[in-house]
């Protein structure tokens, strides 16, 4: 078992920030103000337009793809790839010989497909039958091969692992387990860009949040955000991790004191419907002093409608932080200086 002390993004997250700033389609995602329940002002980091993919995961897998290929190139040639070399013909020819494989409930697969296409590599994405056909279509538009594997997400993960072992493709998962941690850490480094964008904005405005609500599937986004907030933010908020009642693997692990599976029915918060935690994410969250909230299916759906009505089209997964905020009860509980922050993690498309 790895210890949380091994999870270190600094200065690694600086490499991720440098990588994305060099991309033509990178822009800082907007930090909006929404009207919350009881007229509370809610800060909302809007990831619904992120780099043309419409979700925060545009920052994860594309960065990991570039890191993996750069490492493989250096092992073969001895050259440390500079950013400006990534589009050169010899590097792209090298990338074309690589296939990246993953399982996805939607957005991670989009990131893998987009990252592979940007580098000139190939992607093969395993989807469970619960993933909508619209996601499969978007993956194919990005040039990925789509394979339907299993009835639920866990079965598609197993299929992706077997695929990589049999084909020699590169497994690029966003979850971690014993013996598989390094590549998912690179995915999480990319997510750190979100926290750094907000830190810069809060430093300028002085309007630091008092509470940050972080939705979680396997926990990659929540852990990356929690790590960066605890290490880099001048003012420290409370951190609340939000999961579906049907897939509360991180809270279950917290209570058990070890990474623990949490079984349950399928959740309409599809991108959060993960029954096994990332061991690295769980360890980081344990060090960050977070609390946990779970959501019913109805609470997730109501929050998606509310946030969409406020002008940001999203899903129950994307609005999960807002749902937890609505559930929490508000200024009379937290005081006059209650300044909540949520991440709208994906668009509705």
């Amino acid at each position: 078992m790895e210890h949380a002390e091994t999870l270190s993004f600094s200065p690694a997250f600086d490499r991720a920030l440098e990588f994305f700033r060099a991309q033509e389609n990178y822009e800082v995602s907007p930090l909006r103000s929404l009207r919350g329940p009881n007229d509370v002002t809610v800060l909302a980091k809007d990831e619904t337009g992120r780099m043309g993919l419409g979700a925060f995961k545009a920052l994860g897998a594309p960065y990991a793809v570039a890191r993996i290929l750069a490492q493989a190139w250096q092992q073969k040639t001895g050259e440390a790839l500079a950013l400006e070399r990534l589009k050169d013909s010899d590097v792209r020819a090298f990338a074309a010989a690589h296939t990246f494989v993953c399982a996805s409930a939607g957005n991670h697969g989009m990131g893998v497909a987009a990252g592979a296409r940007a580098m000139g590599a190939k992607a093969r994405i395993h989807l469970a039958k619960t993933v909508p056909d619209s996601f499969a279509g978007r993956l194919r538009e990005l040039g990925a091969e789509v394979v339907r594997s299993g009835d639920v997400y866990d079965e598609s993960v197993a299929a992706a692992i077997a695929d990589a072992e049999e084909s020699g493709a590169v497994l690029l998962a966003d979850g971690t387990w014993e013996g598989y941690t390094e590549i998912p850490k690179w995915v999480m480094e990319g997510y750190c860009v979100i926290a750094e964008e907000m830190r810069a904005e809060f430093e300028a405005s002085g309007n630091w949040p008092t509470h940050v609500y972080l939705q979680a599937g396997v926990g990659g986004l929540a852990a990356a955000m929690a790590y960066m907030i605890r290490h880099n933010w001048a003012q420290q908020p409370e951190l609340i991790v939000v999961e579906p009642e049907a897939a509360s693997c991180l809270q279950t692990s917290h209570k058990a004191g070890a990474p623990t599976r949490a079984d349950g029915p399928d959740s309409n918060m599809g991108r959060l419907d993960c029954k096994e935690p990332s061991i690295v994410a769980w360890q980081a969250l344990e060090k960050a002093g977070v609390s946990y909230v779970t959501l019913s299916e109805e609470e997730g759906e109501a929050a998606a409608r509310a946030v969409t009505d406020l002008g940001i089209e999203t899903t129950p997964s994307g609005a999960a932080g807002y749902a937890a905020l609505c559930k929490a009860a508000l200024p009379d509980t937290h005081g006059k200086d209650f300044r909540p922050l949520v991440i709208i993690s994906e668009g509705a498309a």
Side-chain angles (χ1 to χ4, degrees), residues 64-307:
V65 166
R67 283 284 305 267
I68 292 164
L69 289 172
Q71 183 182 73
W73 176 269
Q74 186 167 13
Q75 289 172 346
K76 180 180 180 181
T77 69
E79 177 192 2
L81 276 178
L83 285 173
E84 56 268 20
R85 287 272 285 128
L86 295 181
K87 294 184 179 181
D88 288 352
S89 59
D90 58 339
V91 176
R92 291 185 67 81
F94 176 78
H98 291 75
T99 298
F100 292 87
V101 170
C102 75
S104 179
N107 291 324
H108 177 63
M110 295 285 289
V112 172
R117 183 180 68 169
M119 292 293 297
K122 303 177 184 68
R124 185 162 55 250
I125 315 300
H126 290 261
L127 302 180
K129 73 175 186 180
T130 52
V131 178
D133 288 339
S134 58
F135 272 109
R138 292 177 68 193
L139 288 166
R140 293 187 181 100
E141 289 174 2
L142 288 169
E145 177 186 355
V146 175
V147 182
R148 288 288 184 176
S149 300
D151 292 334
V152 294
Y153 177 70
D154 286 357
E155 293 176 1
S156 64
V157 171
I161 294 170
D163 181 341
E165 291 174 347
E166 294 167 7
S167 68
V170 180
L171 180 66
L172 205 175
D174 57 350
T176 63
W177 50 86
E178 293 290 349
Y180 184 80
T181 59
E182 191 64 23
I183 287 174
K185 285 182 186 178
W186 293 345
V187 173
M188 293 166 69
E189 284 175 17
Y191 300 159
C192 289
V193 170
I194 300 170
E196 177 60 15
E197 288 176 354
M198 289 194 291
R199 184 206 61 76
E201 190 159 349
F202 295 139
E203 286 280 6
S205 70
N207 187 33
W208 295 90
T210 59
H211 296 69
V212 179
Y213 295 83
L214 301 168
Q215 58 264 67
V218 298
L221 172 66
M225 293 291 298
Y227 179 92
M228 292 294 288
I229 288 170
R230 291 297 185 236
H231 284 74
N232 282 10
W233 284 24
Q235 294 190 28
Q236 288 296 301
E238 291 188 28
L239 300 179
I240 303 96
V241 175
V242 185
E243 299 177 285
E245 290 175 354
S248 58
C249 60
L250 292 162
Q251 184 180 42
T252 299
S253 299
H254 173 70
K255 291 178 178 178
T260 303
R261 182 179 176 84
D263 286 309
D266 292 344
S267 172
N268 64 11
M269 289 166 270
R271 263 62 68 205
L272 308 183
D273 190 13
C274 302
K275 314 302 188 187
E276 294 273 3
S278 161
I279 60 171
V280 170
W282 173 75
Q283 289 164 350
L285 290 170
E286 288 296 287
K287 289 289 185 179
V290 304
S291 60
Y292 290 91
V293 172
T294 58
L295 301 175
S296 69
E297 302 299 287
E298 294 75 18
E299 287 167 338
E301 290 175 351
R305 291 192 298 269
V307 172

